[in-house]
Amino acid sequence: MAALNGLTGFAVHQAIEDLEIELLLEAMFQRFGIDFRGYDRTLLRRKLLGLMRRRELATVSRLQEAVLHQAGAALDLVRALAVPNAPLFDRPDWVRRQRAALADSLRPTALPKVWLAEPAGVGEAWTIAILLAEEKLYGRTEVFATLASDELLAELRDATVPAAQLAEFQPQYLESGGSGRLLDYFEVSDGEARLLPRLRERITWAQYSLVTDASFNEFNAIVCCRALPDFGPVLRQRVLRLFHDSLALFGVMGIDRELSASDAFAEDYQQVVEGTGWYKRVR
C-alpha cells in the first residue's frame, strides 16, 4: 500500500496509461495478429493520443474497447501507427542519393531485386519505379513493396493521386535528379493519375511483417527509411539482422540514419555516402 500511496497526480495517470497501452498492444496482437509491441513507446504514445483526440476518446482503455468491438476501429489504429503516406519525390536530397546508390549497385546485376520495406504509400514506391526507369534499369528490376497490413496493402495496389498534384511535384522531381516531365510517367483519367502499367507491373505488393517474419528472398538493394524510426531498440536490431540475412554481397541498404558500432553486423557494411544511412554490404 505504501508504494500505491506514493503515486500521486501525474505519476498515477502515467502509470495507468502505460498499462493501458501494453494491454492494447497485446489485444491487437492476440486478436488481429498485428504486432506493435516492439515499437518505441514515446512515438507510439504520441500517435495513440492523436487517434484518441480524433475519435474523442478519453482513455486508452476506451480505444481498446472500440478496437475490439467497433467495425473499422482496428484499421484506424493500424493506419495511425503505420508509416504516413508521403508525396512523390518527397525529400529530394534523399531521393538523389537513392538514385545514385541504386544505379551504381544494380547496374552490374543481371536481374536485380529491390526490397522496399514498409514504404510511405505509393508515393515512395512510384518514386523508385520512375528513377529506376530513368537509369535504364527498371525493365530488368523487380521491386518488392511489403506492408504488414493486408488492408493497407489492398488500398495501395489500387491507389491513385490527384492529377493536379503532378505539377506540384515537378520541382521536387527535378531537384532529385529527374530530367523530364513527371506527367509522362502517368496515365490520367477523371482527374486521377496512376503510374503507367509498364512501370506498375514491375512492383510486387506483398504482405510481410518486419516484426515476425523471416527472410523471404535475397535482394540487391533494401530500402527502409520510414519505418525504422518507429521501432524500439530491440526490434530495430532484429530488423537490421533480417536485412543482413536478406542483402546480397555488394548490395546496398538505405536506412533512416547512420549505423553505430553496436548495431547488428555494422562491421559488414561500408558507408556509400558519408553522413547518410546508405551502405554497401562488403562481407
Side-chain angles (χ1 to χ4, degrees), residues 45-82:
R45 178 191 298 275
R46 188 182 308 148
K47 292 181 178 183
L48 286 178
L49 293 179
L51 176 60
M52 288 163 56
R53 284 192 296 270
R54 292 191 294 274
R55 294 182 68 92
E56 299 182 343
L57 299 171
T59 65
V60 179
S61 291
R62 293 283 188 182
L63 177 59
Q64 178 177 315
E65 181 180 6
V67 163
L68 293 177
H69 299 289
Q70 293 181 14
L75 182 56
D76 280 352
L77 176 58
V78 170
R79 204 185 306 278
L81 298 183

Side-chain angles (χ1 to χ4, degrees), residues 19-39:
L19 177 58
E20 289 178 311
I21 289 174
E22 298 307 315
L23 293 173
L24 171 62
L25 301 183
E26 187 64 32
M28 281 294 294
F29 180 65
Q30 294 292 337
R31 175 66 178 82
F32 302 103
I34 301 176
D35 195 351
F36 294 111
R37 296 174 298 176
Y39 278 47

Side-chain angles (χ1 to χ4, degrees), residues 14 28 46 60-61 63 71 78 95 100 109 124 127 144 149 195 233:
Q14 188 81 13
M28 281 294 294
R46 188 182 308 148
V60 179
S61 291
L63 177 59
V78 170
V95 178
T109 306
E124 188 174 0
T127 293
F144 294 81
S149 166
L195 196 67

Side-chain angles (χ1 to χ4, degrees), residues 92-112:
D93 287 346
W94 165 270
V95 178
R96 194 184 313 109
R97 290 192 293 268
Q98 178 174 251
R99 181 190 293 270
L102 293 181
D104 290 346
S105 175
L106 302 184
R107 192 160 281 121
T109 306
L111 297 171

Side-chain angles (χ1 to χ4, degrees), residues 176-243:
S176 71
S179 57
R181 285 199 320 157
L182 190 55
L183 180 61
D184 292 340
Y185 294 100
F186 290 85
E187 54 183 7
V188 177
S189 176
D190 298 325
E192 293 294 312
R194 199 175 187 201
L195 196 67
L196 291 173
R198 65 179 175 85
L199 299 181
R200 287 202 317 272
E201 68 185 11
R202 305 298 294 174
I203 303 174
T204 298
W205 293 93
Q207 191 281 330
Y208 178 89
S209 173
L210 291 174
V211 181
T212 58
D213 292 340
S215 176
F216 68 100
N217 211 326
E218 182 177 73
F219 296 93
N220 307 99
I222 297 174
V223 181
C224 184
C225 61
R226 306 283 186 163
L228 278 172
D230 288 342
F231 295 165
V234 174
L235 178 55
R236 184 182 182 87
Q237 295 307 311
R238 192 261 182 202
V239 173
L240 289 177
R241 287 192 293 271
L242 172 66
F243 289 167

